[in-house]
Amino acid sequence: MLVAQAIGIFLLLGLAAALPADSGRSSSVTTVTIVQGHGYPIEEHSVQTSDGYILTMHRIPYSKNTGNDGPRPVVFLMHGLLCSSSDWVLAGPHAGLAYLLSEAGYDVWMGNARGNTYSKKHATKSPLLQPFWNFEWHDIGIYDLPAMIDYVIYWTGAETVSYVGHSQGTTSFFVLNSMVPRFKSRIRSAHLLAPVAWMDHMESPLAKVGAPLLGQPNAFVEVFGSAEFFASTELMNLFGALVCKDEAISQFMCTNVLFLLGGWDSPYQNVTLIPEIMATTPAGCSVNQLFHYLQEYNSGYFRQFDYGKTRNKKEYSSKTPPEYNVEGIEVPTYLYYSDNDYFASLVDVDKLRYTMNPSALKSAYRLPEVKWNHIDFLWGLNIKEILYDRVINDIKNA
Ligand SMILES: *[C@@H]1O[C@H](CO)[C@@H](O)[C@H](O)[C@H]1NC(C)=O
C-alpha cells in the first residue's frame, strides 16, 4: 500500500502542476477534419448553457450517399471521460457509429461536454483561470445535456431524440434524468455503452491507486478548488511502466491516461487507429470529474459530490450527499456491457440493472466477447458486427 500511496502523491503533484490545455498536442486533427476527410457533410453548432459554458456540437445531417433527403429521426451521441465527439468518427465510415447511423437514415448530433477540446469556452470565465474548472459530471448532466438536447430539438423540429452514451456519457444520462425529469418526454430511448453508475468494483489500476487519497470527501476541493486535469507525460510514463505489460504496443498506449484508466490489454484493439486516438484523446476534463468517480469507488454510493459534512449541510441540507434516483428513470433504456470492463464491472452493472425499474429497462446485453474492454465500446475490432448493428436495430425498434 505504501507504493500505492506514493504513486497517489505523485499523481496529485502531477495534477497540481496543471498546465494550460493541449500543450504539445496537435490540434489539426478535429472532428470536422476527420469527417470531411471521409466526404461526409459536417456542421458545427454552439450552444450556451444556463451557467455560461459555450459548447460545440457536431452534426452529420445526412449521408454523403443519399444527399439531403429531408427530415430524419435524430440521434444524440454523448462521449465519455477525457473524450469528445471525435470518438464517434475517428474509426472511419465502416466502424464509426456516427457514419453508421447516418447510413441507417439518422440525423446525427454529437455533444461535447464543458472542458473538453471543443467546449473550452465560457461567456465570462477564462479557461486559463481556476473558476472555469469548478465543475464535474453532475454539471454535465444538469446543464450541458439539457442545453444541447433542447437546442437539437429546437433546431431540427423533432419531438424526441434517441440518446447514445458511452461511459461518463451514461453517468451524465442518469444524472440528467434523475435531476431534470422533463427529459423523459424528450428522449425516445437511451442506449448506454459500458454504463457507469455505481463504481465500487472498478478495476482500473490508476483509479485504485488514486482513490485512497483523492476519493475522500472534501478531497482538496475546499483547499484548492477544482482544476483542469492535466496528466503529465513523465508521470504517465512512470505509471505506465509500472502497471503495463512490457509489449511495445501496450507500453506506447500506457503513456495515454485514457488507456491507463480504461485498459490496454484488449485483443480487440485495432492498432491502425492508435495514432488517430492519440491525436484527439485525452480531450480534457476537470479533476473533480475524477474525484467524484473515486468517491463512488470508496463509498459504494451513486450520489452527488461529497464536500465533507460541513459544506454538505450547506449544499444539500444533509451531512451526506443525496443519491441519484435511478429507480425513477422512465426513459426506455438499453444497456450494453462486457466482462473485461475496468470501469463498469459486472457486479456494478448488476446493481444498476436490478435497481432500474423493470418497465424502463428494455434490455441488458452482455457481450459474449469476454475480453471486450471499456474502450473497445468505441473502437474495438469488428465493432459494427459485434455491437453497433445491434444498437442501431434497438434504436429503430425502440
Ligand atoms: C482498423 O482501422 C483501420 C482504420 O480505420 C481500418 O481501415 C481497418 O479496416 C480496421 N481493421 C479492422 C480489422 O477492422
Side-chain angles (χ1 to χ4, degrees), residues 94-95 268 270 372 379-388:
H94 300 293
Y268 295 100
N270 181 347
W372 195 261
W379 306 307
L381 282 176
N382 302 322
I383 195 165
K384 178 179 180 298
E385 293 75 20
I386 288 175
L387 179 66
Y388 289 161

Side-chain angles (χ1 to χ4, degrees), residues 163-226:
Y163 184 99
V164 179
H166 172 242
S167 186
Q168 182 190 264
T170 73
T171 315
S172 49
F173 170 84
F174 293 120
V175 172
L176 170 74
N177 286 282
S178 162
M179 307 297 295
V180 197
R182 71 186 172 88
F183 280 90
K184 70 176 177 226
S185 61
R186 314 209 110 193
I187 299 176
R188 181 181 145 87
S189 62
H191 304 266
L192 307 181
L193 316 177
V196 177
W198 285 269
M199 291 220 79
D200 37 322
H201 296 86
M202 148 167 84
E203 291 289 336
S204 172
L206 191 62
K208 282 187 165 176
V209 159
L213 200 65
L214 306 174
Q216 299 299 327
N218 208 8
F220 310 103
V221 176
E222 297 280 14
V223 190
F224 298 121
S226 192

Side-chain angles (χ1 to χ4, degrees), residues 264-394:
W264 58 86
D265 57 353
S266 163
Y268 295 100
Q269 179 69 48
N270 181 347
V271 179
T272 319
L273 288 181
I274 293 179
E276 294 268 15
I277 297 171
M278 294 289 186
T280 54
T281 320
C285 73
S286 148
V287 291
N288 275 1
Q289 281 163 261
L290 294 159
F291 291 171
H292 196 172
Y293 276 135
L294 296 178
Q295 287 183 356
E296 287 195 39
Y297 175 73
N298 284 351
S299 74
Y301 287 100
F302 181 40
R303 62 185 183 189
Q304 293 190 44
F305 201 89
D306 194 341
Y307 295 99
K309 281 182 199 150
T310 317
R311 187 165 159 202
N312 283 347
K313 272 194 168 163
K314 265 186 263 167
E315 302 275 343
Y316 311 123
S317 313
S318 76
K319 279 188 216 160
T320 51
E323 290 184 56
Y324 292 111
N325 176 17
V326 171
E327 303 89 311
I329 290 175
E330 292 177 33
V331 176
T333 300
Y334 298 69
L335 307 178
Y336 310 84
Y337 64 107
S338 66
D339 288 35
N340 186 34
D341 190 331
Y342 285 1
F343 244 72
S345 75
L346 290 179
V347 187
D348 292 337
V349 174
D350 279 345
K351 168 99 180 160
L352 170 64
R353 290 166 57 198
Y354 299 126
T355 303
M356 286 193 74
N357 188 328
S359 69
L361 183 60
K362 294 302 173 197
S363 93
Y365 178 65
R366 179 172 167 184
L367 271 63
E369 288 71 18
V370 291
K371 291 275 182 186
W372 195 261
N373 81 10
H374 197 69
I375 294 167
D376 293 330
F377 282 90
L378 297 172
W379 306 307
L381 282 176
N382 302 322
I383 195 165
K384 178 179 180 298
E385 293 75 20
I386 288 175
L387 179 66
Y388 289 161
D389 282 345
R390 172 181 290 265
V391 172
I392 292 171
N393 218 29
D394 287 344

Side-chain angles (χ1 to χ4, degrees), residues 46-313:
S46 299
V47 59
Q48 187 167 331
T49 67
S50 61
D51 63 343
Y53 287 85
I54 297 165
L55 313 176
T56 301
M57 280 183 287
H58 292 112
R59 178 194 193 195
I60 300 180
Y62 47 84
S63 155
K64 67 173 177 184
N65 298 314
T66 60
N68 188 349
D69 52 358
R72 292 170 154 228
V74 178
V75 181
F76 181 81
L77 310 180
M78 192 59 191
H79 64 80
L81 184 69
L82 293 163
C83 287
S84 74
S85 56
S86 301
D87 294 6
W88 311 109
V89 298
L90 65 81
H94 300 293
L97 183 58
Y99 311 100
L100 297 173
L101 283 165
S102 182
E103 293 306 332
Y106 289 89
D107 178 1
V108 182
W109 292 74
M110 296 166 266
N112 283 295
R114 57 185 60 198
N116 90 1
T117 317
Y118 306 113
S119 293
K120 210 174 277 184
K121 275 188 226 147
H122 188 279
T124 57
K125 296 174 186 171
S126 160
L128 296 176
L129 301 174
Q130 188 277 327
F132 179 93
W133 296 99
N134 258 329
F135 64 78
E136 44 104 5
W137 42 256
H138 179 82
D139 304 288
I140 296 171
I142 65 168
Y143 297 119
D144 295 358
L145 290 180
M148 293 191 286
I149 295 172
D150 280 341
Y151 178 94
V152 169
I153 285 177
Y154 162 76
W155 189 267
T156 59
E159 280 175 14
T160 57
V161 304
S162 304
Y163 184 99
V164 179
H166 172 242
S167 186
Q168 182 190 264
T170 73
T171 315
S172 49
F173 170 84
F174 293 120
V175 172
L176 170 74
N177 286 282
S178 162
M179 307 297 295
V180 197
R182 71 186 172 88
F183 280 90
K184 70 176 177 226
S185 61
R186 314 209 110 193
I187 299 176
R188 181 181 145 87
S189 62
H191 304 266
L192 307 181
L193 316 177
V196 177
W198 285 269
M199 291 220 79
D200 37 322
H201 296 86
M202 148 167 84
E203 291 289 336
S204 172
L206 191 62
K208 282 187 165 176
V209 159
L213 200 65
L214 306 174
Q216 299 299 327
N218 208 8
F220 310 103
V221 176
E222 297 280 14
V223 190
F224 298 121
S226 192
E228 178 171 16
F229 175 72
F230 177 78
S232 84
T233 314
E234 291 77 17
L235 198 73
M236 289 301 129
N237 287 345
L238 174 70
F239 195 84
L242 286 174
V243 299
C244 287
K245 296 196 200 88
D246 51 7
E247 285 166 39
I249 290 173
S250 44
Q251 282 294 344
F252 177 57
M253 283 156 62
C254 284
T255 61
N256 188 313
V257 64
L258 184 72
F259 291 104
L260 278 173
L261 283 167
W264 58 86
D265 57 353
S266 163
Y268 295 100
Q269 179 69 48
N270 181 347
V271 179
T272 319
L273 288 181
I274 293 179
E276 294 268 15
I277 297 171
M278 294 289 186
T280 54
T281 320
C285 73
S286 148
V287 291
N288 275 1
Q289 281 163 261
L290 294 159
F291 291 171
H292 196 172
Y293 276 135
L294 296 178
Q295 287 183 356
E296 287 195 39
Y297 175 73
N298 284 351
S299 74
Y301 287 100
F302 181 40
R303 62 185 183 189
Q304 293 190 44
F305 201 89
D306 194 341
Y307 295 99
K309 281 182 199 150
T310 317
R311 187 165 159 202
N312 283 347
K313 272 194 168 163

